[in-house]
Amino acid sequence: MEDKKILTLAEVKDILTERQGEGELTAEQKLALEHVQKFSRMDSKKARKLVKELLELGFVSEINAVKIADVLPSVADDVRLIFSKERASVEKKDIEKILSVVEKYL
């Protein structure tokens, strides 16, 4: 089984744009490229840097860090929604830490 890496929308955009330059994309790849062009809100280097900074907080998993980098939440309710599938709820001070990190990238 191959290793899977969790990518931000910006990283997917870079990959698909590169593949488009190499040749024709499949219908699914074209739809995915159209989606990431609409919804990607920063470049891949900044997105990966944000993910790294969120991981350094210690309580954010990689998948949630990527979701945060894709959504760029600006209010606590948006952060709570991202963590809604977690068993434990996120504390208010942790949400504030997340929002302060995200704010640097807006």
Side-chain angles (χ1 to χ4, degrees):
M1 189 168 158
E2 62 186 72
D3 291 330
K4 294 183 180 183
K5 184 177 177 187
I6 301 169
L7 300 174
T8 64
L9 288 176
E11 292 170 316
V12 172
K13 181 180 173 183
D14 286 352
I15 291 168
L16 289 174
T17 302
E18 183 180 317
R19 286 195 182 159
Q20 185 179 36
E22 295 170 358
E24 188 70 24
L25 296 177
T26 66
E28 293 84 3
Q29 290 171 330
K30 287 177 184 176
L31 287 172
L33 180 58
E34 185 179 316
H35 176 81
V36 294
Q37 286 173 333
K38 284 182 184 176
F39 296 105
S40 177
R41 297 172 60 190
M42 67 172 63
D43 67 65
S44 60
K45 287 185 174 119
K46 279 178 71 174
R48 190 45 57 183
K49 190 174 174 184
L50 172 57
V51 168
K52 183 179 179 206
E53 199 169 331
L54 288 167
L55 290 173
E56 289 172 357
L57 293 176
F59 58 88
V60 180
S61 67
E62 184 178 10
I63 192 149
N64 285 335
V66 169
K67 286 179 188 177
I68 291 167
D70 289 342
V71 174
L72 295 173
S74 58
V75 294
D77 286 342
D78 292 344
V79 176
R80 280 190 204 94
L81 282 172
I82 291 170
F83 284 89
S84 65
K85 290 193 176 194
E86 301 293 317
R87 290 180 183 237
S89 61
V90 184
E91 295 181 26
K92 186 176 180 177
K93 66 179 174 85
D94 293 337
I95 290 172
E96 290 170 3
K97 287 179 187 176
I98 290 169
L99 289 174
S100 69
V101 170
V102 170
E103 192 175 310
K104 291 189 259 181
Y105 292 86
L106 293 177

